[in-house]
Amino acid sequence: MKLRQAAVAAGRGGSVGAWEGDALLVGGCEEIEQVELAGAAATTIFLALDTMSALSRSIPGNWHDCDSTAAGGVVNAVRWKTATFAGHQLRYAVTGSGPAVVLPKKDRGSYVPFERLADQYTMVQIEPLGFGRSDRPDPYPPVGIHEQILAVCDQEDIPEFAVWGFSQGGAMACATAQATPRARLMVCGGFNVLRGLSDAWLARMNRERRIPVGSRTFWNLFHSYNWHAELRQMAIPKLMYWGTLDAQRVSLKDQYILRGVGIDVAEFAGLDHGRSGFGDPASPATDVVADWLQRHGW
């Protein structure tokens, strides 16, 4: 089944994109590649570079301030809070209102989507133990990332949520969605879940112990699962995305496998790992994910 090329006026006074059939087509017609989906049930998304420039111009200047103005002029206060988990301090931030979107977060600072989408969602950034400004216990508690996320959601009276992560955070999003039915949608960016980590890399990590204990604990747990089987069993909407220049780009064969287990796929032309990540205000991922969440009723 060939994707039909839709004329979309992004960057020329029109909408950001249009859903047509099984794909979100964004950008000028001549710049969108046609691909064969081979009957796969899920969606493939392609973004052209001129559309990315248009998206970056639409994002307000600095999304890293503690009190920011979200799109549409609505001011949302960012509230940094602490939860106690396993006797340790767990740091997180909350802003916005509406359905909850949880971002597992391993870096300090404010992620672009966190404040960018605060006019549509209750956005929650959680720094798990061993990351950011949360405590760094060693030995690490024998718990999963999802248990820490649920502790924060319980404190905030959030019964269910969409979970969205990038890079290692993307792996954390998968682990969370696998572990709790309270995760109603899952988005993983910049991480090839099917390939994960090699046995040799994991053995070296455990032997050399140069990677912080929080990461070591998480990767050992993540590596213990068969993610092909786990993804197939997740009966929730799932989206994965990456840039075409990202070392974590999923091969065409693996993309077909992902679609076969019901995962929507987005690929951003010409972007590397950093430029398609949470920290780049010009990344088109925020708008694409927001559109995807809305299409799935979130």
Side-chain angles (χ1 to χ4, degrees):
M1 175 176 55
K2 291 286 186 181
L3 298 181
R4 290 172 292 169
Q5 293 185 331
V8 179
R12 297 184 294 277
S15 61
V16 169
W19 289 94
E20 180 171 315
D22 295 303
L24 172 63
L25 304 181
V26 185
C29 297
E30 69 282 358
E31 299 187 28
I32 301 175
E33 177 185 359
Q34 288 188 318
V35 297
E36 184 74 37
L37 290 186
T43 302
T44 301
I45 304 169
F46 286 89
L47 295 185
L49 286 173
D50 64 339
T51 302
M52 296 179 196
S53 298
L55 289 175
S56 67
R57 291 194 297 272
S58 72
I59 299 176
N62 185 1
W63 291 100
H64 297 271
D65 297 334
C66 287
D67 293 297
S68 301
T69 302
V74 179
V75 175
N76 294 285
V78 176
R79 305 181 301 282
W80 279 97
K81 299 185 177 184
T82 301
T84 300
F85 182 84
H88 303 285
Q89 300 299 298
L90 188 62
R91 291 282 288 169
Y92 68 97
V94 183
T95 190
S97 60
V101 177
V102 172
L103 308 176
K105 182 173 182 295
K106 67 187 189 69
D107 305 308
R108 295 185 178 182
S110 181
Y111 284 159
V112 171
F114 175 65
E115 297 171 37
R116 177 78 170 86
L117 300 180
D119 60 332
Q120 305 172 56
Y121 299 104
T122 298
M123 302 296 295
V124 186
Q125 289 183 164
I126 301 176
E127 300 177 352
L129 296 179
F131 300 92
R133 285 169 285 189
S134 293
D135 286 350
R136 298 173 179 247
D138 192 358
Y140 199 87
V143 296
I145 291 294
H146 76 282
E147 295 173 274
Q148 301 178 47
I149 288 176
L150 293 182
V152 170
C153 289
D154 288 343
Q155 184 162 296
E156 293 297 319
D157 295 320
I158 296 173
E160 56 185 17
F161 53 89
V163 61
W164 176 12
F166 185 83
S167 194
Q168 183 174 353
M172 291 177 177
C174 291
T176 300
Q178 181 272 343
T180 174
R182 290 170 64 177
R184 304 302 303 151
L185 303 94
M186 187 274 288
V187 181
C188 170
F191 184 73
N192 187 342
V193 179
L194 290 180
R195 298 301 148 202
L197 309 171
S198 69
D199 292 337
W201 188 93
L202 198 77
R204 185 170 66 251
M205 176 193 74
N206 290 325
R207 181 177 65 253
E208 297 178 352
R209 303 175 68 84
R210 285 189 262 181
I211 293 177
V213 64
S215 283
R216 293 203 310 271
T217 303
F218 171 75
W219 286 128
N220 278 296
L221 176 65
F222 186 87
H223 192 69
S224 68
Y225 288 96
N226 177 344
W227 282 103
H228 189 166
E230 297 297 338
L231 292 170
R232 184 180 294 278
Q233 293 173 14
M234 286 186 201
I236 60 172
K238 301 173 288 292
L239 170 67
M240 294 186 179
Y241 67 88
W242 51 83
T244 58
L245 302 182
D246 192 340
Q248 287 290 324
R249 183 189 186 187
V250 177
S251 69
L252 292 177
K253 177 181 177 181
D254 283 351
Q255 289 182 42
Y256 179 77
I257 293 173
L258 291 176
R259 292 195 299 270
V261 299
I263 297 175
D264 296 333
V265 172
E267 186 166 90
F268 303 132
L271 294 192
D272 59 15
H273 193 72
R275 290 182 61 207
S276 54
F278 278 165
D280 191 339
S283 170
T286 299
D287 295 273
V288 168
V289 171
D291 179 73
W292 181 85
L293 291 172
Q294 291 166 10
R295 290 183 68 243
H296 287 281
W298 203 248

